[in-house]
Amino acid sequence: DFLFAGDLSRIERQLHHYGSGLNAIPVLTEYRENPDDMYLLRIGYGGVMGAISNITQDGFGPAGFHSYPSTLRIDYYSGDYGPGFFGHAVNTGTYVVNHPEFGWHAFGGNVEHEGDWISVKPLDSARSRVYLASVGLWLTLDAGKFRMVSINPESGDVRIELASATAHTPSARLRIEQPTEPEREGSYEPVKQYKVERQAYVVPLASEDNLVELTNSEE
């Protein structure tokens, strides 16, 4: 697209053009259905982050990055930046994996070990989506923010710490999905009963101690 829509017009591979952010949507969807395939996570998460990696310090979003070794700079037109950022906005999240070689780590967050629990602090741009690959659990928020998500690998139990209430967010709305085969991990549900609206659990928020516990029905 640089040839007809770039400030520097030439045939060239564009780094993190809008295809990076948009193509990451089906790639990460496929990964959540097949969490043993780390290749899907690597390329999918790279596409998600590529959509924001080109943003300049003063906030300009270019159409892409010029890959010629003699250039290596952004294009000076914004062009198709919007679709790429859309791909990031609807797809960004934190992915927690237990890699057979590297152990527990997170794409988009920081991992902590404490006793029997593995905890992740989401640091992605939205902090409203977390995937626990070891149990195929996809947690998303229609309202509210994740502060910390923890899993006990032995029991499979999950703890969710939500950010404090605000004037505009008195309650969180939590969705629990399991894209992989249900036989693999059982069915997760909150220990405490919450009101359900539009298939999301409504969790009242306080100024602190916003803890939601999930348990696996097969455990």
Side-chain angles (χ1 to χ4, degrees):
D1 284 357
F2 281 154
L3 187 61
F4 60 85
D7 173 65
L8 178 55
S9 179
R10 64 188 182 192
I11 297 175
E12 178 182 14
R13 180 174 178 81
Q14 296 173 270
L15 299 185
H16 300 308
H17 192 216
Y18 68 88
S20 296
L22 294 181
N23 291 337
I25 297 174
V27 171
L28 287 178
T29 299
E30 182 72 11
Y31 171 72
R32 292 192 296 271
E33 297 176 359
N34 300 277
D36 295 327
D37 192 337
M38 282 292 296
Y39 178 74
L40 291 173
L41 177 59
R42 288 166 54 200
I43 63 171
Y45 208 82
V48 166
M49 298 305 293
I52 61 173
S53 67
N54 288 345
I55 299 175
T56 64
Q57 194 169 21
D58 58 358
F60 176 72
F65 190 89
H66 289 279
S67 63
Y68 275 12
S70 60
T71 307
L72 296 179
R73 67 160 174 85
I74 62 167
D75 192 75
Y76 297 149
Y77 287 168
S78 58
D80 299 315
Y81 175 77
F85 184 76
F86 170 81
H88 173 86
V90 302
N91 206 26
T92 184
T94 299
Y95 289 75
V96 187
V97 300
N98 186 13
H99 192 275
E101 182 177 356
F102 304 116
W104 288 96
H105 62 288
F107 287 63
N110 288 342
V111 173
E112 301 175 1
H113 298 243
E114 185 174 349
D116 296 331
W117 291 85
I118 304 296
S119 301
V120 62
K121 180 179 180 180
L123 295 172
D124 65 278
S125 59
R127 304 183 190 186
S128 61
R129 306 180 188 98
V130 174
Y131 183 69
L132 301 176
S134 62
V135 290
L137 185 60
W138 182 227
L139 304 171
T140 61
L141 292 168
D142 292 345
K145 301 290 182 184
F146 290 115
R147 179 173 290 168
M148 189 80 74
V149 177
S150 306
I151 183 170
N152 185 321
E154 294 298 323
S155 66
D157 292 340
V158 174
R159 295 175 180 168
I160 301 169
E161 184 181 349
L162 298 170
S164 302
T166 69
H168 302 291
T169 313
S171 300
R173 279 166 167 73
L174 172 68
R175 294 183 185 272
I176 302 172
E177 300 177 55
Q178 296 167 254
T180 59
E181 292 296 329
E183 292 79 8
R184 172 175 174 157
E185 70 282 337
S187 179
Y188 275 88
E189 57 187 22
V191 173
K192 181 180 177 180
Q193 289 189 342
Y194 296 99
K195 180 181 177 181
V196 177
E197 289 183 356
R198 298 174 183 174
Q199 299 180 320
Y201 293 99
V202 181
V203 182
L205 298 175
S207 58
E208 56 184 20
D209 297 329
N210 297 300
L211 183 66
V212 178
E213 296 181 282
L214 307 182
T215 188
N216 189 315
S217 62
E218 288 192 354
E219 295 295 334

